[in-house]
Amino acid sequence: MPGSNCTQTTEFSLVGFTKDPATQIAQFLLFLLTYLLTILGNLGMIALIRASPLLHSPMYYFLGNLAFVNLCTSTIITPRMLAGVWLGEKGITYAGCMAQVFTFGLFAITECFLLATMAYDRYVAICHPLLYPLVMFPERCSRLVTGSYLLGLTNGVGQTIGMSSLFFCGSSAMDLFFCDISQLISLSTSDTTLSVIILRTSSSLLGVPSILVVLVSYVAIISTILSIRSAEGKRKAFSTCASHLSAVSTFFGALVFMYLMPRSDTSRGGDKWAAVLYTVVTPMLNPFIYSLRNREVKEAWRR
Protein backbone atom coordinates (compact mmCIF):
# COMPACT_ATOMS: atom_id res chain seq x y z
CA MET A 1 0.00 0.00 0.00
CA PRO A 2 1.31 3.53 -0.77
CA GLY A 3 2.33 5.62 2.16
CA SER A 4 0.09 8.37 3.48
CA ASN A 5 2.67 11.06 2.57
CA CYS A 6 2.87 9.88 -1.04
CA THR A 7 0.99 11.90 -3.67
CA GLN A 8 -0.45 10.22 -6.75
CA THR A 9 1.63 10.93 -9.84
CA THR A 10 -0.23 13.10 -12.38
CA GLU A 11 2.44 13.04 -15.09
CA PHE A 12 4.90 10.50 -16.47
CA SER A 13 8.22 11.21 -18.13
CA LEU A 14 9.06 9.41 -21.37
CA VAL A 15 12.84 9.58 -21.62
CA GLY A 16 13.48 7.08 -24.41
CA PHE A 17 15.68 8.39 -27.28
CA THR A 18 15.96 11.94 -25.90
CA LYS A 19 19.00 11.72 -23.63
CA ASP A 20 21.71 12.74 -26.13
CA PRO A 21 21.08 16.24 -27.58
CA ALA A 22 23.60 15.65 -30.38
CA THR A 23 21.40 12.97 -31.95
CA GLN A 24 17.99 14.62 -31.50
CA ILE A 25 17.84 16.18 -34.97
CA ALA A 26 18.80 12.93 -36.71
CA GLN A 27 16.27 11.00 -34.63
CA PHE A 28 13.54 13.55 -35.39
CA LEU A 29 14.15 13.49 -39.14
CA LEU A 30 14.32 9.70 -39.22
CA PHE A 31 11.08 9.18 -37.28
CA LEU A 32 9.34 11.99 -39.20
CA LEU A 33 10.26 10.40 -42.54
CA THR A 34 9.11 7.01 -41.25
CA TYR A 35 5.76 8.44 -40.11
CA LEU A 36 5.16 10.25 -43.42
CA LEU A 37 5.91 7.05 -45.34
CA THR A 38 3.55 5.17 -42.99
CA ILE A 39 0.71 7.61 -43.71
CA LEU A 40 1.28 7.67 -47.46
CA GLY A 41 1.79 3.93 -47.76
CA ASN A 42 -1.22 2.82 -45.71
CA LEU A 43 -3.60 5.46 -47.03
CA GLY A 44 -2.46 4.63 -50.54
CA MET A 45 -3.06 0.92 -49.92
CA ILE A 46 -6.56 1.57 -48.55
CA ALA A 47 -7.44 3.84 -51.49
CA LEU A 48 -6.03 1.36 -54.02
CA ILE A 49 -8.00 -1.57 -52.58
CA ARG A 50 -11.22 0.45 -52.64
CA ALA A 51 -10.67 1.81 -56.15
CA SER A 52 -9.40 -1.29 -57.96
CA PRO A 53 -11.90 -4.06 -58.82
CA LEU A 54 -8.90 -6.37 -59.22
CA LEU A 55 -8.39 -6.20 -55.44
CA HIS A 56 -11.99 -6.81 -54.35
CA SER A 57 -11.31 -10.17 -52.74
CA PRO A 58 -11.12 -11.45 -49.14
CA MET A 59 -7.34 -11.25 -48.95
CA TYR A 60 -7.29 -7.56 -49.87
CA TYR A 61 -10.30 -6.83 -47.67
CA PHE A 62 -8.22 -8.08 -44.73
CA LEU A 63 -5.18 -6.17 -46.01
CA GLY A 64 -7.18 -2.93 -46.15
CA ASN A 65 -8.17 -3.37 -42.51
CA LEU A 66 -4.56 -4.18 -41.61
CA ALA A 67 -3.46 -0.94 -43.28
CA PHE A 68 -6.06 0.98 -41.25
CA VAL A 69 -4.86 -0.61 -37.99
CA ASN A 70 -1.21 0.11 -38.89
CA LEU A 71 -2.12 3.73 -39.53
CA CYS A 72 -3.89 4.01 -36.17
CA THR A 73 -1.08 2.28 -34.25
CA SER A 74 1.54 4.60 -35.67
CA THR A 75 -0.61 7.72 -35.14
CA ILE A 76 -1.17 7.11 -31.43
CA ILE A 77 2.58 6.66 -30.87
CA THR A 78 4.75 8.56 -33.37
CA PRO A 79 3.43 12.18 -33.18
CA ARG A 80 3.89 12.19 -29.40
CA MET A 81 7.38 10.75 -29.86
CA LEU A 82 8.27 13.43 -32.42
CA ALA A 83 7.17 16.15 -30.02
CA GLY A 84 9.36 14.62 -27.33
CA VAL A 85 12.43 14.48 -29.59
CA TRP A 86 12.07 17.92 -31.20
CA LEU A 87 10.51 20.01 -28.43
CA GLY A 88 11.89 18.11 -25.46
CA GLU A 89 8.37 17.52 -24.13
CA LYS A 90 9.00 14.37 -22.14
CA GLY A 91 5.96 14.65 -19.90
CA ILE A 92 2.63 12.95 -20.57
CA THR A 93 -0.36 13.31 -18.29
CA TYR A 94 -1.88 10.39 -16.42
CA ALA A 95 -5.03 10.63 -18.57
CA GLY A 96 -2.94 10.75 -21.76
CA CYS A 97 -1.00 7.71 -20.62
CA MET A 98 -4.18 5.74 -19.92
CA ALA A 99 -5.50 6.76 -23.36
CA GLN A 100 -2.34 5.34 -24.94
CA VAL A 101 -2.73 2.13 -22.93
CA PHE A 102 -6.32 1.72 -24.16
CA THR A 103 -5.77 2.55 -27.84
CA PHE A 104 -2.53 0.61 -28.14
CA GLY A 105 -4.07 -2.41 -26.40
CA LEU A 106 -7.01 -2.21 -28.80
CA PHE A 107 -5.05 -2.01 -32.04
CA ALA A 108 -2.23 -4.40 -31.04
CA ILE A 109 -4.61 -7.30 -30.41
CA THR A 110 -6.73 -6.35 -33.43
CA GLU A 111 -3.62 -6.62 -35.60
CA CYS A 112 -2.75 -9.99 -34.04
CA PHE A 113 -6.11 -11.44 -35.06
CA LEU A 114 -6.12 -9.77 -38.47
CA LEU A 115 -2.76 -11.40 -39.21
CA ALA A 116 -4.13 -14.72 -37.95
CA THR A 117 -7.21 -14.29 -40.16
CA MET A 118 -5.01 -13.56 -43.16
CA ALA A 119 -2.97 -16.69 -42.42
CA TYR A 120 -6.17 -18.75 -42.33
CA ASP A 121 -7.26 -17.13 -45.60
CA ARG A 122 -3.98 -18.18 -47.25
CA TYR A 123 -4.37 -21.68 -45.79
CA VAL A 124 -7.78 -22.13 -47.38
CA ALA A 125 -6.63 -20.61 -50.69
CA ILE A 126 -3.58 -22.87 -51.02
CA CYS A 127 -4.64 -26.07 -49.26
CA HIS A 128 -8.33 -26.13 -50.26
CA PRO A 129 -8.68 -23.90 -53.34
CA LEU A 130 -11.94 -25.50 -54.52
CA LEU A 131 -13.62 -24.75 -51.19
CA TYR A 132 -12.31 -21.16 -51.00
CA PRO A 133 -15.47 -19.42 -52.33
CA LEU A 134 -17.63 -21.46 -49.94
CA VAL A 135 -15.44 -20.82 -46.88
CA MET A 136 -14.33 -17.21 -47.34
CA PHE A 137 -17.62 -15.66 -48.43
CA PRO A 138 -18.19 -11.91 -47.76
CA GLU A 139 -20.37 -12.30 -44.65
CA ARG A 140 -17.84 -14.55 -42.95
CA CYS A 141 -14.99 -12.19 -43.82
CA SER A 142 -16.93 -9.30 -42.27
CA ARG A 143 -17.56 -11.34 -39.12
CA LEU A 144 -13.87 -12.26 -38.85
CA VAL A 145 -12.81 -8.63 -39.12
CA THR A 146 -15.51 -7.46 -36.70
CA GLY A 147 -14.46 -10.15 -34.24
CA SER A 148 -10.84 -8.96 -34.47
CA TYR A 149 -11.86 -5.41 -33.53
CA LEU A 150 -14.10 -6.63 -30.70
CA LEU A 151 -11.30 -8.75 -29.23
CA GLY A 152 -8.99 -5.76 -29.49
CA LEU A 153 -11.58 -3.60 -27.74
CA THR A 154 -11.89 -6.19 -24.97
CA ASN A 155 -8.13 -6.14 -24.48
CA GLY A 156 -7.98 -2.34 -24.46
CA VAL A 157 -10.75 -2.07 -21.85
CA GLY A 158 -9.23 -4.81 -19.70
CA GLN A 159 -5.74 -3.30 -19.75
CA THR A 160 -7.11 0.15 -18.92
CA ILE A 161 -9.06 -1.22 -15.96
CA GLY A 162 -5.95 -2.99 -14.71
CA MET A 163 -3.84 0.17 -15.01
CA SER A 164 -6.46 2.42 -13.39
CA SER A 165 -6.21 0.40 -10.18
CA LEU A 166 -2.49 1.14 -9.80
CA PHE A 167 -0.99 3.89 -7.64
CA PHE A 168 2.09 5.81 -8.77
CA CYS A 169 4.35 8.08 -6.74
CA GLY A 170 8.03 8.90 -6.64
CA SER A 171 9.88 8.02 -9.85
CA SER A 172 7.67 8.24 -12.94
CA ALA A 173 10.29 8.05 -15.69
CA MET A 174 9.99 5.37 -18.38
CA ASP A 175 12.92 4.57 -20.67
CA LEU A 176 10.57 4.35 -23.63
CA PHE A 177 8.71 6.69 -25.97
CA PHE A 178 5.15 5.65 -25.08
CA CYS A 179 3.24 4.36 -22.06
CA ASP A 180 4.05 0.67 -22.07
CA ILE A 181 2.00 -1.57 -19.80
CA SER A 182 4.91 -3.63 -18.46
CA GLN A 183 6.91 -0.53 -17.53
CA LEU A 184 3.88 1.08 -15.86
CA ILE A 185 3.48 -2.02 -13.71
CA SER A 186 7.14 -1.86 -12.68
CA LEU A 187 6.73 1.82 -11.67
CA SER A 188 3.66 1.27 -9.51
CA THR A 189 3.98 1.54 -5.74
CA SER A 190 0.75 -0.39 -5.09
CA ASP A 191 -0.24 -4.03 -5.40
CA THR A 192 0.20 -4.98 -9.08
CA THR A 193 -1.33 -8.46 -8.83
CA LEU A 194 -4.52 -7.59 -10.75
CA SER A 195 -2.63 -5.76 -13.51
CA VAL A 196 -0.14 -8.60 -13.93
CA ILE A 197 -2.98 -11.14 -14.07
CA ILE A 198 -4.79 -9.10 -16.75
CA LEU A 199 -1.58 -8.69 -18.77
CA ARG A 200 -0.67 -12.37 -18.56
CA THR A 201 -4.23 -13.49 -19.25
CA SER A 202 -4.62 -11.28 -22.32
CA SER A 203 -1.24 -12.44 -23.61
CA SER A 204 -2.20 -16.08 -23.08
CA LEU A 205 -5.84 -15.98 -24.21
CA LEU A 206 -5.53 -13.44 -27.03
CA GLY A 207 -1.92 -13.23 -28.20
CA VAL A 208 -0.90 -16.90 -28.03
CA PRO A 209 -3.94 -18.31 -29.93
CA SER A 210 -3.40 -15.86 -32.79
CA ILE A 211 0.26 -16.95 -33.01
CA LEU A 212 -0.80 -20.60 -32.97
CA VAL A 213 -3.29 -20.02 -35.81
CA VAL A 214 -0.50 -18.49 -37.88
CA LEU A 215 1.94 -21.32 -37.10
CA VAL A 216 -0.56 -24.13 -37.79
CA SER A 217 -1.72 -22.46 -41.00
CA TYR A 218 1.81 -22.10 -42.32
CA VAL A 219 2.79 -25.63 -41.38
CA ALA A 220 -0.12 -26.84 -43.54
CA ILE A 221 0.72 -24.32 -46.28
CA ILE A 222 4.39 -25.32 -46.45
CA SER A 223 3.45 -29.01 -46.46
CA THR A 224 1.07 -28.41 -49.37
CA ILE A 225 3.61 -26.34 -51.32
CA LEU A 226 6.29 -29.01 -50.92
CA SER A 227 3.89 -31.62 -52.32
CA ILE A 228 3.50 -29.64 -55.55
CA ARG A 229 5.61 -31.28 -58.26
CA SER A 230 6.34 -28.39 -60.61
CA ALA A 231 8.79 -25.65 -59.59
CA GLU A 232 6.56 -23.02 -61.19
CA GLY A 233 3.59 -24.20 -59.15
CA LYS A 234 5.62 -24.01 -55.96
CA ARG A 235 6.78 -20.50 -56.82
CA LYS A 236 3.27 -19.25 -57.51
CA ALA A 237 1.90 -20.82 -54.33
CA PHE A 238 4.65 -19.37 -52.18
CA SER A 239 4.35 -15.91 -53.75
CA THR A 240 0.75 -15.64 -52.52
CA CYS A 241 1.81 -15.82 -48.87
CA ALA A 242 5.41 -14.51 -48.85
CA SER A 243 4.35 -10.91 -48.13
CA HIS A 244 2.11 -11.93 -45.26
CA LEU A 245 4.81 -14.17 -43.81
CA SER A 246 7.25 -11.25 -43.81
CA ALA A 247 4.78 -9.01 -41.98
CA VAL A 248 3.94 -11.73 -39.46
CA SER A 249 7.59 -12.45 -38.66
CA THR A 250 8.47 -8.85 -37.77
CA PHE A 251 5.29 -8.09 -35.81
CA PHE A 252 4.95 -11.26 -33.74
CA GLY A 253 8.71 -11.53 -33.24
CA ALA A 254 8.82 -8.10 -31.59
CA LEU A 255 5.71 -8.77 -29.48
CA VAL A 256 7.05 -12.08 -28.22
CA PHE A 257 10.33 -10.41 -27.25
CA MET A 258 8.50 -7.58 -25.43
CA TYR A 259 5.79 -9.44 -23.54
CA LEU A 260 6.30 -13.21 -23.55
CA MET A 261 10.06 -13.78 -23.13
CA PRO A 262 11.13 -13.89 -19.46
CA ARG A 263 14.22 -11.78 -18.68
CA SER A 264 15.82 -9.75 -15.92
CA ASP A 265 15.56 -5.99 -15.52
CA THR A 266 19.16 -5.58 -16.72
CA SER A 267 18.26 -7.12 -20.09
CA ARG A 268 15.37 -4.79 -20.83
CA GLY A 269 17.51 -2.38 -22.86
CA GLY A 270 16.34 -4.04 -26.07
CA ASP A 271 12.70 -3.30 -25.27
CA LYS A 272 12.77 0.14 -26.87
CA TRP A 273 14.17 -1.26 -30.12
CA ALA A 274 11.58 -4.02 -30.18
CA ALA A 275 8.93 -1.37 -29.54
CA VAL A 276 10.28 0.74 -32.42
CA LEU A 277 10.03 -2.32 -34.65
CA TYR A 278 6.34 -3.06 -34.08
CA THR A 279 5.04 0.49 -33.47
CA VAL A 280 7.06 2.52 -36.00
CA VAL A 281 8.89 0.32 -38.52
CA THR A 282 6.37 -2.46 -39.19
CA PRO A 283 3.41 -0.12 -39.94
CA MET A 284 5.64 1.62 -42.49
CA LEU A 285 6.97 -1.57 -44.08
CA ASN A 286 3.72 -3.51 -44.45
CA PRO A 287 2.20 -1.57 -47.40
CA PHE A 288 5.52 -1.59 -49.25
CA ILE A 289 6.05 -5.31 -48.61
CA TYR A 290 2.64 -6.08 -50.11
CA SER A 291 3.16 -3.62 -52.98
CA LEU A 292 6.59 -4.85 -54.01
CA ARG A 293 6.03 -8.59 -53.61
CA ASN A 294 2.44 -8.95 -54.77
CA ARG A 295 1.77 -9.17 -58.48
CA GLU A 296 -1.89 -8.18 -58.25
CA VAL A 297 -1.12 -5.05 -56.22
CA LYS A 298 1.59 -4.00 -58.71
CA GLU A 299 -0.86 -4.57 -61.56
CA ALA A 300 -3.50 -2.46 -59.78
CA TRP A 301 -0.97 0.37 -59.31
CA ARG A 302 -0.12 0.28 -63.00
CA ARG A 303 -3.80 0.47 -63.96
Side-chain angles (χ1 to χ4, degrees), residues 234-253:
K234 290 181 179 179
R235 187 192 64 81
K236 287 183 178 180
F238 182 75
S239 66
T240 65
C241 58
S243 300
H244 178 257
L245 188 58
S246 301
V248 163
S249 300
T250 55
F251 180 76
F252 280 118

Side-chain angles (χ1 to χ4, degrees), residues 85-186:
V85 174
W86 183 252
L87 302 176
E89 296 180 357
K90 300 180 182 180
I92 181 172
T93 63
Y94 178 85
C97 199
M98 292 302 104
Q100 276 197 345
V101 168
F102 170 74
T103 53
F104 182 74
L106 188 161
F107 289 115
I109 292 298
T110 300
E111 182 164 358
C112 286
F113 279 95
L114 281 177
L115 290 172
T117 300
M118 294 172 73
Y120 176 71
D121 173 77
R122 292 300 83 205
Y123 159 75
V124 178
I126 294 174
C127 300
H128 305 284
L130 298 180
L131 296 177
Y132 187 81
L134 299 176
V135 175
M136 304 303 294
F137 54 91
E139 291 79 7
R140 175 168 292 174
C141 294
S142 298
R143 289 198 294 268
L144 288 170
V145 169
T146 302
S148 299
Y149 284 107
L150 289 176
L151 289 169
L153 179 62
T154 301
N155 181 66
V157 171
Q159 299 294 357
T160 306
I161 292 174
M163 292 298 105
S164 64
S165 66
L166 298 182
F167 193 90
F168 302 92
C169 68
S171 175
S172 60
M174 286 182 281
D175 188 20
L176 208 59
F177 51 91
F178 71 101
C179 290
D180 176 63
I181 296 171
S182 59
Q183 293 208 16
L184 282 171
I185 292 175
S186 66

Side-chain angles (χ1 to χ4, degrees), residues 20-75:
D20 185 7
T23 61
Q24 287 185 354
I25 295 179
Q27 290 173 355
F28 177 81
L29 294 176
L30 177 62
F31 289 130
L32 177 61
L33 177 62
T34 302
Y35 184 54
L36 293 176
L37 290 175
T38 300
I39 294 176
L40 292 174
N42 286 287
L43 285 180
M45 182 63 69
I46 293 171
L48 180 67
I49 290 172
R50 287 183 174 273
S52 175
L54 184 65
L55 304 182
H56 290 176
S57 64
M59 183 175 76
Y60 297 106
Y61 173 65
F62 299 137
L63 179 57
N65 281 275
L66 179 65
F68 172 74
V69 170
N70 285 160
L71 188 62
C72 293
T73 301
S74 183
T75 299

